[in-house]
């Protein structure tokens, strides 16, 4: 079971923590999530723990459940750029949707963040999944699932070509000759696809990392196909190590079929740990979080996953599978839908129990235990190739991140499973990923000409 | 001629300086404009000088003249967010186009920057003026001038409603009762216009300043109408104090007709000063900059302003007015077109002379002189109501900003024309502008219902 290399750890920053009731703990400061000092503190703790990266999710709309749940965070491009200035090494991964953005803007903002941070930018590529978002961009409804993924593919293609539109040595800054940039080495894309027509070039040179790191988390079939072809880091929600192994093997097989080597893609399941010095203390902590849950919110969360009003069902009856839509009928977060269905079926859960089971981490793996128990579980997933590392989802923040960094990280370091110091400087360095070479423009220019 | 209050100073950050050949000076570092340290240094100097704000222009395309001229800067939202972390007081104004953006994204990013900076964000509202930009967003050509301004008006309306979608006291963070936000005080806009349909609300509370500061620089008739109705700070290019007075009086009369008080709008003409300890030294500095000019670039710049290939004309003949398009035929930067025409007519310039005259500051006011001469000229414009302050366009950076802060600012302070210390904390404080109250939603809800 020996594996080369070490595991990778990413901090998933989310409001006052991933447990939906975390903000109600006395130690939480729910009004601080609109201030920069809070995020600065989280970033400092994560960097003290030598974590590979921190990550911001995002959506372009306000959930109707804002009464019960804290805002996710500030806007990712602005927040990550600010955090770049008060951190030295940790990677900075932000979410941007391919459904409600323009490739030129996304390419440029990530390139700019990559320059500002000295090569620490990463892009979590999502297609939006909510009608709340759609309503803020002129559309009546979200585009269909397949159309969103087709657009995502084209979007990524354009963004990558824009990042490559300046060859690495195109900026000359030759003061004597008066040549700032070599226009022979700056290229138009002349891209014309189904969704986008973008001439280019980008108005920034090739970013320090060549391409900022590409991250993805789609769990549907089209999501997995997309990840296998392009993603360098994959977030995933897996509830058992066996499911994790299956997903890992499936995704790596798909990536191999795309001609990619296994080291080119790191799979990071979500991992939510309530940490106690004894197991009893950990369980007590978890229970005190669960006691703060508000059932109205939990139900609306389930209603959103199943696209069905769940309040009409008896909370203490088993989940009514036959009254819920099938996965292929869902235009939204299909992976989450399947995960919740599987969990309820496997564990025989009532509606109320499913609500509680998913309150800590929205269906991601969650456990309560001692630092040793937690490190054991992480080692088991890592050694069995269910994970190349973890997307850490601390149930409350900053408390359970601090406990993780102070108690679990040293345990992992002692076992030789995690770095004791940063070795490289860029986000790609941390994940052991190469800087991609620039596109061969002579070849692709012929393509562009053929397309017209 | 006594005026109450003091003048306002804004630093217009641009590549290695506003003189088009500044990057070729030995002291310039043209390869540093993609690195954050350069901007950090500029921001520190500006803040040492107690300047009201710094400002980033922007465009969404690479000019074909990149061979001759340095990039403007990094992307404004990311760069200003980074600068927010290494400054304390100075305002941070970024450009965002209403032609190639979505109001939801713009409202949210400025709100986020306003939170990150503690109320120091400002938005320079532009409509895009270049076909190079248009080609990066699917369009074949730029929309017509009038359509761009109509869209701008609607865009701003939506952004302001989004900033007001949370009332000031809507975030409760009541841990005991479990109420994070009061949904009675968070409003949908249900906006449906010609260009946009946005339901809202924004997924951030009302920003610290209520509304980030609104800045505008349109010089065409529609541009001035827009500024008069909405802008709180107005950038303008005026070549003589008399033109400045006319513009100032015209704009203030238009604003008064919109029901606005004169203190609600600050007019800042562009001001480019080459500073020497003697006049001769200043002139020598200016000449050594002019010697680095490349005529190919100057000509292409003029071609772009006049939307005409200027290389077909004799460089040493007077500007051929009858062969150039009239202002109303220009779909682009109409104000610049008129300014150049007026300048050439007034001063009887040849093509080459116009090229040289506009190399320092693209048609903005430019002078070379001693700190006392420069302060005299600024005082004259200020006292004669040609200006409420200035948009400083240092010809080379950081050198001529440093000279301005160390030599001209103290001269202005000694005359009681400029602050010696920041008094407030927000960008609105610096410009003496009030925090706008939140929209009255009861009233506007009735409107929204009627619209449907």
């Amino acid at each position: 079971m020996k594996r080369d290399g070490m595991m990778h750890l990413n901090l998933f920053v989310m409001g006052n923590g991933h447990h939906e009731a975390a903000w109600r703990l006395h130690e939480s400061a729910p009004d601080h999530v609109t201030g920069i000092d809070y995020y600065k503190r989280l970033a400092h703790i994560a960097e003290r723990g030598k974590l590979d990266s921190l990550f911001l999710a995002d959506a372009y709309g306000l959930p109707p459940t804002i009464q019960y749940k804290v805002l996710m965070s500030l806007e990712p491009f602005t927040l990550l750029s600010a955090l770049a200035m008060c951190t030295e090494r940790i990677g900075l991964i932000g979410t941007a949707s391919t459904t409600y953005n323009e490739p030129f803007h996304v390419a440029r903002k990530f390139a700019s963040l990559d320059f500002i941070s000295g090569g620490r930018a990463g892009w979590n590529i999502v297609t939006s999944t909510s009608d709340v978002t759609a309503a803020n961009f002129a559309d009546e409804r979200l585009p269909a699932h397949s159309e969103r993924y087709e657009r995502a593919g084209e979007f990524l293609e354009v963004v990558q070509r824009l990042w490559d539109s300046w060859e690495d040595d195109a900026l000359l800054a030759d003061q004597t000759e008066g040549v700032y940039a070599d226009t022979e080495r700056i290229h138009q894309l002349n891209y014309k696809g189904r969704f986008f027509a973008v001439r280019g070039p980008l108005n920034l040179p090739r970013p320090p990392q060549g391409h900022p790191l590409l991250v993805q988390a789609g769990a549907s079939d089209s999501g997995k196909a997309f990840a296998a072809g392009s993603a360098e880091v994959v977030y995933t929600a897996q509830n058992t190590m066996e499911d994790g192994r299956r997903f890992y093997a499936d995704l790596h097989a798909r990536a191999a079929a795309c001609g990619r080597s296994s080291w080119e893609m790191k799979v990071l399941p979500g991992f939510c740990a309530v940490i106690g010095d004894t197991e009893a203390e950990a369980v007590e902590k978890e229970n005190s979080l669960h006691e703060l849950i508000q059932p109205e919110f939990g139900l609306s969360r389930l209603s959103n996953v199943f696209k069905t009003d769940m309040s009409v069902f008896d909370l203490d009856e088993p989940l009514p599978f036959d009254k819920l839509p099938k996965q292929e009928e869902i235009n939204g977060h299909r992976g989450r839908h399947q995960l919740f269905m599987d969990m309820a079926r496997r564990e025989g859960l009532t509606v109320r129990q499913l609500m509680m089971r998913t309150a800590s981490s929205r269906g991601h793996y969650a456990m309560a235990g001692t630092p040793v128990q937690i490190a054991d579980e992480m080692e088991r997933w890592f050694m069995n190739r269910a994970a190349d590392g973890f997307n850490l989802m601390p149930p409350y923040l900053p408390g359970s991140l601090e406990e993780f960094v102070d108690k679990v990280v040293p345990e992992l370091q002692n076992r030789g499973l995690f770095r004791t110091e940063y070795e490289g400087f860029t986000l790609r360095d941390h994940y052991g990923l190469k800087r991609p070479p620039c596109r061969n423009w002579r070849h692709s220019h012929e393509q562009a000409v053929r397309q017209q």
Side-chain angles (χ1 to χ4, degrees), chain A:
Chain A
M1 294 218 305
K2 196 81 191 90
R3 286 191 66 170
D4 288 337
M6 299 198 184
M7 60 173 67
H8 299 281
L9 297 177
N10 174 74
L11 169 64
F12 186 171
V13 172
M14 169 71 73
N16 288 109
H18 286 269
H19 193 288
E20 68 191 37
W23 70 276
R24 299 186 64 199
L25 290 175
H26 281 301
E27 66 177 81
S28 293
D31 48 339
H32 289 192
V33 301
T34 56
I36 188 67
D37 290 344
Y38 173 68
Y39 300 99
K40 215 166 139 175
R41 188 168 164 205
L42 296 181
H44 284 161
I45 300 168
E47 197 163 48
R48 173 156 64 76
K50 316 298 176 196
L51 268 51
D52 296 66
S53 47
L54 64 80
F55 154 61
L56 299 174
D58 201 31
Y60 307 140
L62 187 73
T65 49
I66 190 65
Q67 181 177 348
Y68 303 111
K69 184 145 191 322
V70 175
L71 290 162
M72 268 187 210
S73 72
L74 293 168
E75 188 279 330
F77 284 113
T78 47
L79 179 49
L80 294 176
S81 302
L83 292 179
M85 300 303 284
C86 46
T87 53
E88 299 283 330
R89 298 287 194 101
I90 194 164
L92 304 163
I93 298 172
T95 298
S97 165
T98 56
T99 307
Y100 297 106
N101 274 304
E102 289 281 344
F104 191 90
H105 287 315
V106 168
R108 181 145 175 266
K109 287 187 175 72
F110 276 116
S112 191
L113 176 61
D114 209 42
F115 279 111
I116 288 169
S117 64
R120 296 188 282 139
W123 172 22
N124 178 42
I125 308 168
V126 302
T127 75
S128 296
T129 56
S130 145
D131 285 327
V132 170
T133 288
N136 291 325
F137 298 88
D139 291 320
E140 293 297 312
R141 301 188 71 91
L142 206 59
H145 193 270
S146 59
E147 175 161 330
R148 281 187 284 122
Y149 270 97
E150 196 185 328
R151 182 177 159 115
E154 214 177 86
F155 194 110
L156 175 59
E157 175 76 23
V158 175
V159 167
Q160 290 179 314
R161 290 194 197 191
L162 285 167
W163 285 334
D164 286 349
S165 59
W166 291 53
E167 294 180 32
D168 280 310
D169 47 6
L171 199 158
L172 302 180
D174 182 336
Q175 293 174 310
T176 315
E177 296 296 320
V179 183
Y180 179 63
D182 179 355
T183 50
E184 298 280 303
R185 285 183 270 180
I186 301 175
H187 306 275
Q188 291 190 351
L189 335 175
N190 294 315
Y191 186 91
K192 285 189 205 298
R194 177 178 164 206
F195 297 93
F196 304 107
V198 179
R199 188 187 297 165
L202 195 61
N203 52 355
L204 277 177
R206 197 155 192 261
Q209 293 186 102
H211 297 178
L213 191 74
L214 300 180
V215 183
Q216 215 257 355
S220 65
D221 211 60
S222 4
K224 281 190 278 194
F226 190 91
S230 312
E232 299 173 294
V233 166
V234 177
Y235 300 143
T236 178
Q238 301 295 333
N239 247 279
T240 66
M241 192 192 75
E242 290 65 36
D243 285 347
R245 286 188 59 154
R246 253 190 302 277
F247 177 84
Y248 189 100
D250 176 28
L251 206 63
H252 272 286
R254 289 171 185 248
C258 298
R260 300 177 71 203
S261 305
S262 68
W263 62 266
E264 291 180 73
M265 187 177 63
K266 315 291 177 185
V267 175
L268 310 187
F271 190 87
C272 176
V274 181
I275 305 163
D277 288 332
T278 63
E279 195 179 329
E281 190 192 306
V283 170
E284 197 187 301
K285 273 192 192 177
E286 190 178 44
N287 286 338
S288 64
L289 273 165
H290 282 352
E291 275 163 25
L292 296 171
I293 290 174
Q294 300 181 86
E296 306 90 315
F297 175 65
L299 263 187
S300 74
R301 190 165 46 71
L302 292 188
S303 299
N304 190 41
V305 168
F306 295 121
K307 305 288 179 198
T308 301
D309 178 7
M310 299 297 287
S311 67
V312 303
F313 304 121
D314 188 330
L315 280 185
D316 297 307
E317 291 287 322
L319 193 71
F321 294 97
D322 54 334
K323 296 196 176 113
L324 300 177
K326 307 224 178 320
Q327 195 193 11
E328 55 275 19
E329 298 169 69
I330 297 284
N331 183 16
H333 204 320
R334 287 195 183 164
R336 194 59 45 86
H337 172 274
Q338 178 166 0
L339 198 80
F340 279 35
M341 286 283 201
D342 288 353
M343 186 187 283
R345 201 171 274 123
R346 187 175 58 241
E347 304 180 20
L349 301 177
T350 64
V351 175
R352 188 192 304 276
Q353 285 166 332
L354 181 63
M355 198 170 81
M356 305 294 272
R357 265 296 264 114
T358 56
S360 298
S361 55
R362 304 180 306 284
H364 290 261
Y365 182 80
M367 72 176 286
T370 65
V372 168
Q373 288 173 322
I374 289 163
D376 285 348
E377 188 65 7
M378 293 173 83
E379 182 169 5
R380 198 168 72 93
W381 284 54
F382 179 67
M383 287 301 178
N384 284 285
R385 297 192 192 276
D388 295 307
F390 297 90
N391 185 18
L392 301 175
M393 302 171 65
Y396 51 96
L397 285 167
S400 57
L401 170 64
E402 235 159 3
E403 290 163 344
F404 188 90
V405 161
D406 293 336
K407 297 176 179 176
V408 182
V409 165
E411 185 65 34
L412 295 170
Q413 289 169 331
N414 289 341
R415 300 180 190 193
L417 290 169
F418 192 60
R419 71 172 68 83
T420 53
E421 194 42 85
Y422 289 109
E423 283 167 20
F425 287 87
T426 71
L427 179 52
R428 290 188 171 275
D429 289 341
H430 303 336
Y431 281 102
L433 294 163
K434 289 191 188 142
R435 185 178 190 276
C438 188
R439 177 180 200 81
N440 179 338
W441 280 101
R442 201 172 56 78
H443 174 66
S444 80
H445 177 65
E446 291 162 10
Q447 283 192 325
V449 170
R450 275 205 306 278
Q451 273 180 357
Q452 282 173 344

